[in-house]
Amino acid sequence: MPTPTPDPTRWLADLMATQQDLLKALAPPAARAAADPANALGPWMQAATAFTQWQHQALQQMTSRWTAAATAGAATRAVDRRFAADPWRQDPRFDGIAKAYLNQSEMLRKALDAAPLDERSKAQWSFVLRQVVDALSPANCLATNPEALQAALDSGGASLVEGTRLFMQDFAKGRVSMTDDKAFEVGRNVATSPGSVVFENELIQLVQYTPSTTKVHERPLLIVPPCINKFYILDLQPDNSFVGHAVAQGHTVFLVSWRNAGPEQGQLTWDDYLEQGVMQAVDVALAISRADRVNTLGFCVGGTLLASALAVMTARGDDKVASLTLLTTMLDFSDAGEIGLLVDEQSTVAREATIGQDGLLKGTELAQVFAALRANDLIWPYVVSGYLKGKAPPAFDLLFWNGDDTNLPGPMFCWYLRNTYLENKLRKPGATVQCGVPVDLGVVEVPAFLFSSREDHIVPWQTAYKSTELLGGEITFVLGASGHIAGVINPPARKKRNYWVGAIAPDADAWLEHARSEPGSWWPLWAGWLEKHAGALVAAPESAGNREFPVIEPAPGRYVKAKAA
């Protein structure tokens, strides 16, 4: 039975009828209140209306050999990978649609730039505008995507049938698939570094990894990963495992595996994450290794937790840490990027009222926010390839990890949201009380290695650089190429990318101006730095744990395998 031909004109008419509601629904509260054409945003709203009118006209003209638009606007078509394939260039109708879409998108951006708004409101509206414009790309619609139409013709409609199947499959999962989930299994082909769980409580399991060298450094390395994702981003597969690399350098590695919070963890607080998480892990690592102190590493929010814990420990007189490594971590949240634009007093109060005392922040909510920051990388390409062209996504370990959501306790999340993103108190000495102690990051005087990624859309590198002004010890700052994850996970054997290193300067721009670029991975530089703080080499332990902390189960443990409910 032939596949019925979609009616693009009706589809677009329905879209026009709902677009204004979509714009208002996505807008931040302050911007939404300003959306009346009678006020300052009138020109922008008129431009948005013109955009929807153009869409309708574009589709009508396409069906009647719309060739005039093919030469309208710029003399050469802007480079955009959504429209880079031959079918877009070879057919003047689709070439015209792509050009007109890009021109109209630019018109909207310029109209917003000209609006008399404060910078924060303008940035909020810019985020909203990008979501809408990206969603309305002609590449995302079957009727205006020549590649999808050609695939349907070539397959006799089979691509549309398969696309429908993939859509229904994702609909049941509640998210757009970015990789073949069945290709990976935690503990089988990701998170496979050998080791043992040597401690657990209601919040963490502590993994001790098996040495791969006959000698190890006296002081162990404790890794605190983000609690908003699973730890195995640092142990994906043997050829790109940060954990495996550290073990191969002769370090006894302990790693915190955060529990995927369920209803029974719904009352846990930020202080619990410090006491039962970071500080408990430090104590266990020291008890097992019998070292005088431990080296520590925190990644993203794991770094924020780690730095806070070190400030609390120092205030208590606990000298248990020899060095601090922070990977893509913010301690000063004065410019938190686009995520910061989504946080305001009204939304924070709403969160505090619903989950601030008890409850969970679902991992799917965080995943949707992070995906929206890069919708043209993490949403729409998979919609087009999967639903319009009928192509299932290939297997990719990093994207499998990215889709493995993690819940957070509501009280912990609300404290973090208010005291960092909203009020930026962590940078101010004594402005927060954590575990009963007024926290001052300046008392953390251990040597610190700070790494950030130049294209990071979650932790802007200039903001990460501000940590150099807050910590009290000798600091090394390194800037890697690429983004939040790819910049960190850059094994030396692949000989990819580069990094910058230089002497600490008064601000980020001055630092970069005098920094030197080095090819390849930053991992060897960090390994050389860490070796200076790791102590003498001693015989590697013959087994994990000790009498006080016996082995509970093999790595990676139960906690990391639990799925968000």
Side-chain angles (χ1 to χ4, degrees), residues 405-422:
D405 303 329
T406 304
N407 300 330
L408 287 178
M412 178 271 183
F413 173 74
C414 289
W415 189 98
Y416 175 60
L417 192 67
R418 175 168 290 281
N419 288 279
T420 58
Y421 281 96
L422 183 63

Side-chain angles (χ1 to χ4, degrees), residues 227-228 260-261 273 359-363 366 406-410 412-413:
C227 52
I228 59 175
N260 194 345
Y273 271 67
L360 297 176
L361 176 75
K362 295 293 186 178
L366 288 175
T406 304
N407 300 330
L408 287 178
M412 178 271 183
F413 173 74

Side-chain angles (χ1 to χ4, degrees), residues 60-81:
Q60 288 180 325
Q61 292 181 38
M62 185 192 75
T63 60
S64 60
R65 294 183 173 273
W66 181 33
T67 58
T71 56
T76 58
R77 186 159 62 86
V79 176
D80 190 304
R81 62 183 178 182

